[in-house]
């Protein structure tokens, strides 16, 4: 060992027994290997929302419903979806989700349901619920891990006679689907509307196309704020064009079971709650409900957009120039980006000192840097924003009215804005509960409902920019109590929706939105607008209460006053009653300025 | 459309202009495609800790240092690492990390630095800093995305004459490395110790082997609690066997620059802080520091272990039986799992009713289920736990003493425990600052330092089980104020370390630990133990203060008392002084029971 270098070995005498295991560059190299993306997520399944049996159940339902909703809407079909949870053993459930979507062509089924990172939504900028190409395959992989069973899919596309039935597993070593069985089958998705008591209401509806996916998994059913029940209810609220059937069948409780809240977790406030949970110990162990659609119109189908130049980084610009179908730099700029006309593309090239007719594949690194810089310096229209579809103020108010009986409702849909080149839009709704509401107490934190592209977010509120935005507003100015840095306190429901062509989730489980400044700013503005309206209401209510109090106080004295007047003026007895009446009338007419 | 089915189309008249874009199962199929894991993480780079220029800088340093530390320790080399940050332009930095590790063999370099999900640490259960095979390639990918530049690596292994110099990029479409240039070079890692003023102290140390990685990236340097400075300082504290050189060179501030805290973010409390940040506006714009190792012994090299049967799920068991090299089920159980002797393996087979001599590859699904059940019912020794190496109470105390001048220090290293079959170990240290500490104020929340496998965690405290554990302890019982559900308040530093063969991070950026009940319970016990000790100290201190207060009070009256006595007893004047003296002496001797 030269110079003062490797002297470290001489000092290692004290290490003792472990020395035999020391490795060298060569032995290390022999252990290096590929990790398949499914191995990665299998070992890190909490990243996908499968960390507890309770959450796994919700995540599986959520992924399946997201896919069904997206498929129906893209095909212009009013969605009708059936979610069925059947308890197979103490700790095992079958999750089955059926839709009336366009169906899936045979060759695509295995990859869609048994291959991570496969899909149609990742490589585009378009508002949809799914975006990663992971979710439903992850649910199947989790089922496979915990029960060894396969994912079973039935799908029928329009104008075909038979449905395709297939069962697939995922080879986690290679992230490839393995088909276990496959056959043609006579099947049509059949849906049954039930009334409020869970009884069939009319004949079943039979569709000519659709998809049904069924997964067995280790799971636990627990009611409450993070339950499948709550998720589906909120889904129905923000998707008024959806008809949703939900059936839950629990095994009768022979052995001590899994139906209690998970160990160590207490049911949250306002949970649906302890008494109902213990009710599972005996029948009725089934639940059946239909959320019928409230509107027969699909929301506008959002457009797909091209990336906006101001949201594209240097490396991405270089990649796009390499991949373009255009023959010139100018052509690539104007055809592959939004808001770049041929004129603007020419200006950018000129500013960068790059020949507009150069071949885009031959642009050198420093030229790309010049182009990148020129783009940043060029004023461009903001990205088109009709690609993000709001729920709409009216629908938000209708949704809040379903959720809560309140004295005050307000909703704000902001104009679209842009973060990192991605158009997005924020909506906020606020409701102030009637005093008699048993769930919303005036000394509890407000109830916060979070949504992203019309999907309810039930987990990880602490990691979400929505929570941060609500905490960051000064609610004291609007008449609500608020401990420092916390959610405001009061009998209030606050809902916040972010719609975007790309929602920046904090993890693959898509439970929380990352904190981008532009997003936070838009949320804050929308919340403040609702806050101002709330404060007008609360001020008025406070004044009204004060006036009522004064009025009551005065009313108390009216009989005495009447008696006094009678005696002073020596009026007859019958006049006394008239005076009382007149005084009360006067009092009612008076505006009490408090 | 048959029956009541597809009536939805007739109701869609109102949809209008968008109808042209409706898709079918067939058009959808044509858009389905693979997503490479690098495309995925490129679009979701916030998952990897590259969401802001400031955080990107820290993440890149962290990934490189983690790798260097792991490599040195595995090879039994006392680590000496140099971290250099050089500002190239206003918003661009060059990050260079050099180590004296064993080096990397030529053929492995491109994959290790330019391929996501590649490495030696994922497929084993062994305590190390890296575990995913993502980090350093992600840093390179981010550099490439933001600057278009390649990752440059220099590596020299022992007993070779020349170092290998290579520059690589990642082809994000395929997640494969692209080599841009490659050559042999005469290079030895050279490190320079500097004194407290940043001046060279002695001759540079030259090593015979090591690796140097250099990445250019968009980044921002901001001091404070989430800075590279803080990360490296904490690294040195929990790795007393590390010698760490850190050099920062900032450009002089010609234009208005990026050196302020990021827009919209105020410097946190105790940030190193505004005044220093504005100090950058003029030279000195460089920083140079050496953290010298305090001990010349490597921590024990942790063992690699086999999976424990109780932590293996059914699907995993099936996969392991498929992959085993054993010829019998019994053999597979005893050779591929920890804590399963041949005897126990036989018992499991018998209990499951499975032939112990059957070929493991031919075990049917229902047989695997029976085996799985039998394993759950079999009592097994807990996993071996000498595979997790603690920092140790002594080292934690030494670390805390570096961090804070306190009146009270305490540390607890718990015995190893197990979550989901994975051994882990919790350590906690607590220090109560001297009242004159300017950074730790008695009405601020305690300062929490989080570590996982000796790596400081600086981001996402809210998502981390460590924060949850500290919030969950009743600190009022130990004499600290604590707002409901929050961190306790006081001039206190709390440090928590989790060591494990597999740390369950909440995201790929490895900033926060997921909340497993077993982990939470161990942390709570360790915190409570430190809390009890703290309360003994605080009680004593309170009593001492109270006694001092009483003593002062009485001292006030001694002269009056003496005067009174003198007058009553008609003593001479000089006696008065003696009485005062005697009384004071008495008071000092008295134990004031308060």
């Amino acid at each position: 060992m030269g110079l003062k270098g490797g002297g470290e070995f001489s000092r290692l005498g004290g290490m003792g027994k472990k020395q035999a295991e020391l490795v060298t560059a060569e032995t290390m190299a022999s252990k290096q290997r590929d990790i398949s993306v499914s191995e990665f997520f299998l070992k890190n399944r909490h990243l996908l929302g499968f960390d507890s049996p309770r959450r796994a159940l919700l995540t599986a339902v959520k992924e399946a419903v997201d896919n069904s909703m997206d498929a129906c809407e893209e095909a212009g079909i009013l969605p009708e979806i059936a979610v069925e949870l059947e308890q197979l053993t103490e700790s095992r459930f079958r999750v089955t989700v059926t839709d009336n979507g366009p169906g899936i062509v045979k060759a695509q089924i295995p990859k869609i349901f048994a291959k991570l990172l496969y899909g149609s939504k990742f490589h585009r900028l378009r508002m949809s619920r799914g975006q990663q190409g992971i979710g439903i395959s992850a649910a199947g992989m989790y089922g496979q891990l915990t029960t060894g069973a396969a994912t079973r899919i039935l799908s029928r596309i329009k104008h075909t006679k038979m449905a395709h039935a297939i069962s697939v597993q995922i080879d986690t070593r290679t992230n490839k689907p393995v088909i276990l069985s496959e056959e043609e089958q006579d099947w049509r998705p059949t849906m049954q509307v039930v009334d409020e008591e869970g009884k069939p209401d009319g004949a079943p509806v039979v569709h000519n196309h659709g998809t049904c996916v069924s997964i067995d998994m280790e799971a636990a059913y627990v009611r409450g704020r993070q339950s499948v029940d709550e998720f589906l209810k909120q889904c129905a609220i923000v998707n008024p064009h959806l008809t949703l059937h939900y059936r839950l069948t629990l095994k009768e409780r022979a052995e001590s079971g899994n139906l209690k809240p998970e160990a160590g977790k207490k049911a949250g406030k306002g949970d649906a709650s302890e008494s109902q949970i213990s009710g599972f110990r005996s029948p009725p162990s089934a639940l059946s409900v239909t959320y019928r659609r409230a509107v027969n119109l699909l929301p506008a189908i959002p457009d797909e957009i091209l990336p906006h130049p101001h949201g594209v980084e240097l490396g991405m610009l270089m990649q796009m120039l390499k991949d373009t179908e255009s023959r010139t730099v100018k052509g690539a700029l104007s055809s592959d980006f939004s808001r770049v006309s041929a004129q603007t593309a020419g200006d950018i090239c000129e500013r960068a000192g790059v020949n507009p007719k150069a071949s885009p594949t031959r642009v050198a690194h420093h030229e790309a840097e010049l182009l990148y810089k020129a783009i940043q310096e060029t004023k461009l229209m903001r990205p088109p924003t009709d690609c993000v579809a709001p729920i709409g103020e009216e629908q938000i108010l209708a949704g809040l009215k379903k959720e809560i009986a309140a004295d005050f409702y307000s909703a704000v849909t902001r104009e679209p804005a842009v973060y990192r080149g991605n158009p997005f839009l924020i909506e906020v709704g606020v409701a102030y509960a009637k005093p008699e509401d048993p769930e919303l107490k005036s000394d509890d934190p407000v109830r916060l409902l979070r949504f992203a592209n019309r999907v309810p977010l039930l987990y990880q509120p602490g990691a979400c920019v929505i929570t941060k935005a609500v905490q960051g507003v000064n609610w004291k100015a609007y008449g609500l109590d608020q401990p420092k840095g916390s959610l405001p306190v009061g009998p209030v429901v606050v809902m916040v929706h972010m719609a975007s062509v790309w929602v920046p989730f904090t993890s693959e489980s898509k439970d929380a939105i990352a904190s981008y400044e532009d997003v936070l700013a838009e949320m804050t503005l929308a919340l403040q607008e609702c806050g101002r309206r709330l404060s007008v209401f609360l001020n008025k209510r406070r004044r009204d209460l004060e006036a009522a109090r004064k009025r009551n106080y005065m009313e108390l004295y009216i009989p005495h006053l009447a008696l006094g007047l009678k005696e002073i003026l020596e009026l007859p007895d019958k006049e006394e009653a008239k005076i009382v009446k007149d005084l009360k009338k006067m009092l009612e007419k008076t505006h009490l300025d408090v």
Side-chain angles (χ1 to χ4, degrees), chain A:
Chain A
M1 308 248 165
L3 294 179
K4 288 168 73 178
E8 56 268 20
F9 281 104
S10 57
R11 277 173 263 142
L12 286 177
M15 273 188 46
K17 64 168 181 130
K18 301 284 180 184
Q19 216 149 16
E21 295 169 30
L22 296 186
V23 300
T24 63
E26 290 78 9
T27 58
M28 269 184 201
S30 69
K31 290 185 181 167
Q32 304 280 2
R33 52 170 280 208
D34 277 336
I35 301 147
S36 95
V37 67
S38 30
E39 286 176 310
F40 174 76
F41 281 120
L42 195 63
K43 202 158 176 182
N44 287 300
R45 60 188 156 85
H46 55 275
L47 297 180
L48 302 173
F50 292 97
D51 44 354
S52 73
R54 173 189 187 175
R55 190 170 173 202
L57 191 71
L58 171 66
T59 304
V61 168
K62 174 174 160 161
E63 298 297 348
V65 169
D66 284 4
N67 283 2
S68 291
M69 292 289 294
D70 277 350
C72 288
E73 290 177 6
E74 289 191 26
I77 298 167
L78 274 171
E80 181 164 2
I81 298 176
V83 175
E84 198 174 340
L85 304 184
E86 188 189 350
Q87 191 177 21
L88 303 176
T89 70
E90 216 184 294
S91 61
R92 200 172 278 190
F93 278 74
R94 175 164 295 158
V95 176
T96 307
V97 175
T98 313
D99 67 44
N100 65 336
I104 303 167
V105 298
K106 193 166 140 179
Q108 291 295 328
I109 296 175
K111 287 191 182 172
I112 288 177
F113 290 94
K115 181 176 172 55
L116 299 184
L117 292 179
Y118 185 84
S120 58
K121 300 167 194 169
F122 183 86
H123 291 101
R124 68 179 192 193
L125 286 175
R126 174 168 164 178
M127 181 180 161
S128 58
R129 293 169 183 78
Q131 58 188 33
Q132 320 272 33
I134 293 181
I136 193 66
S137 294
M141 187 169 78
Y142 172 77
Q144 177 180 336
L145 173 72
T146 53
T147 71
T151 303
R152 295 166 308 285
I153 302 107
L154 258 171
S155 188
R156 180 170 178 161
I157 51 182
K158 259 192 284 183
H159 317 306
T160 54
K161 276 203 123 174
M162 302 288 270
H164 195 69
I166 187 167
S167 84
V168 284
Q169 287 200 327
I170 185 166
D171 179 343
T172 53
R173 285 290 156 80
T174 58
N175 188 32
K176 281 184 183 152
V178 178
I179 298 172
L180 301 189
S181 75
E182 201 164 9
E183 59 166 14
E184 300 300 302
Q185 205 170 298
D186 192 9
W187 174 78
R188 292 169 178 212
T190 306
M191 314 267 181
Q192 176 64 61
V193 173
V194 297
D195 64 18
E196 282 176 11
E197 286 163 3
K199 302 256 162 57
D201 182 3
V205 178
V206 182
H207 297 276
N208 276 330
H209 47 81
T211 301
C212 169
V213 55
S214 187
I215 298 171
D216 295 353
M217 54 167 58
E218 287 284 313
Y221 172 80
V222 186
R223 295 202 179 184
R225 285 282 153 89
Q226 297 185 319
S227 66
V228 174
D229 308 11
E230 180 71 22
F231 174 78
L232 294 177
K233 187 176 151 200
Q234 290 191 23
C235 265
I237 288 175
V238 292
N239 294 286
H241 59 295
L242 164 68
T243 290
L244 182 65
H245 311 280
Y246 172 37
R247 195 159 84 208
L248 168 73
T249 318
L250 297 171
K251 268 174 83 78
E252 291 193 21
R253 220 162 164 288
E255 317 149 76
S256 79
N258 221 336
L259 301 175
K260 289 170 294 178
E262 282 167 78
K265 284 185 192 163
K266 282 185 199 144
K269 271 172 220 157
D271 253 3
S273 71
E274 291 296 349
S275 65
Q276 280 171 285
I277 288 163
S278 57
F280 292 157
R281 288 173 199 213
S282 56
S285 57
L287 166 75
S288 190
V289 59
T290 294
Y291 298 100
R292 281 173 235 233
R293 68 173 58 93
V295 298
N296 283 330
L297 277 183
L298 278 170
I301 298 184
D303 288 327
E304 185 172 339
I305 59 163
L306 292 169
H308 189 273
H310 284 174
V312 167
E313 275 145 313
L314 174 57
M316 185 68 78
L317 174 68
M318 289 165 70
Q319 186 72 45
M320 288 176 75
L321 291 175
K322 224 191 257 176
D323 296 342
T324 184
E325 288 169 10
S326 298
R327 294 215 211 133
T328 65
V329 171
K330 186 177 162 187
L333 289 175
S334 62
S335 65
D336 295 359
F337 292 92
S338 72
R339 303 304 197 202
V340 180
S341 63
Q343 169 70 40
T344 313
D347 291 351
I348 291 172
C349 291
E350 192 181 329
R351 192 190 290 254
V354 170
N355 180 357
K357 292 187 180 165
S359 161
T361 53
R362 296 204 187 162
V363 167
H365 186 166
H366 77 274
E367 286 177 314
E369 284 218 46
L370 292 170
L371 280 173
Y372 177 77
K373 223 176 150 192
I375 288 172
Q376 307 314 311
E377 288 164 359
T378 303
K379 220 175 159 186
L380 295 168
M381 277 182 69
R382 282 149 63 99
T385 48
D386 49 358
C387 53
V388 282
I391 298 173
E393 294 179 1
E394 203 181 316
Q395 293 298 347
I396 291 175
L397 292 177
L400 283 174
K401 280 171 188 165
K402 275 197 205 172
E403 174 71 7
I404 171 182
D407 287 326
F408 165 83
Y409 298 92
S410 178
V412 168
T413 296
R414 299 272 308 164
E415 288 298 308
V418 178
Y419 81 92
R420 276 212 179 155
N422 295 315
F424 74 99
L425 172 155
I426 299 299
E427 304 185 273
V428 167
V430 170
Y432 193 95
K434 287 184 186 296
E436 59 271 22
D437 192 302
E439 287 207 1
L440 291 158
K441 289 178 191 136
S442 48
D443 50 356
D444 279 348
V446 302
R447 180 152 184 231
L448 180 57
L449 306 180
R450 299 174 295 128
F451 298 89
N453 284 359
R454 290 176 179 255
V455 178
L457 311 179
L458 303 189
Y459 275 84
Q460 298 189 18
C464 188
V465 66
I466 291 178
T467 307
K468 194 173 164 188
V470 175
Q471 288 171 342
V473 166
N474 178 13
W475 292 95
K476 282 188 181 159
Y478 307 130
L480 292 182
D481 270 348
Q482 184 179 25
K484 202 177 158 189
S486 303
L487 288 180
V489 166
V492 174
V493 172
V494 176
M495 76 150 273
V496 179
H497 178 231
M498 173 175 185
S500 179
V501 295
W502 185 263
V503 180
F505 290 109
T506 60
S507 89
E508 292 85 349
S509 60
K510 302 198 290 179
D511 292 305
I513 304 170
S515 182
Y516 280 95
E517 286 302 325
D518 295 327
V519 176
L520 184 61
E522 277 294 313
M523 286 181 180
T524 302
L525 289 171
L527 287 164
Q528 285 170 337
E529 176 61 35
C530 280
R532 277 189 292 272
R533 297 182 195 165
L534 176 64
S535 92
V536 170
F537 160 76
L538 287 177
N539 278 336
K540 179 168 182 315
R541 207 181 64 142
R542 194 174 47 74
R543 280 199 309 270
D544 287 353
L545 284 174
E546 185 68 6
R549 201 180 59 78
K550 283 203 185 165
R551 191 170 278 124
N552 284 339
Y553 189 70
M554 283 192 258
E555 254 179 6
L556 272 183
Y557 285 89
I558 284 177
H560 303 277
L561 193 60
L563 187 66
L565 282 174
K566 191 193 81 165
E567 279 171 6
I568 291 164
L569 303 176
E570 296 178 349
L571 300 173
D573 279 5
K574 61 173 181 178
E575 284 293 307
E576 190 183 339
K578 191 175 172 292
I579 291 173
V580 168
K581 207 175 132 200
D582 288 350
L583 283 172
K584 281 193 176 171
K585 209 179 266 172
M586 239 165 71
L587 184 64
E588 272 162 30
K589 281 184 190 159
T590 313
H591 174 73
L592 286 166
D593 202 14
V594 287

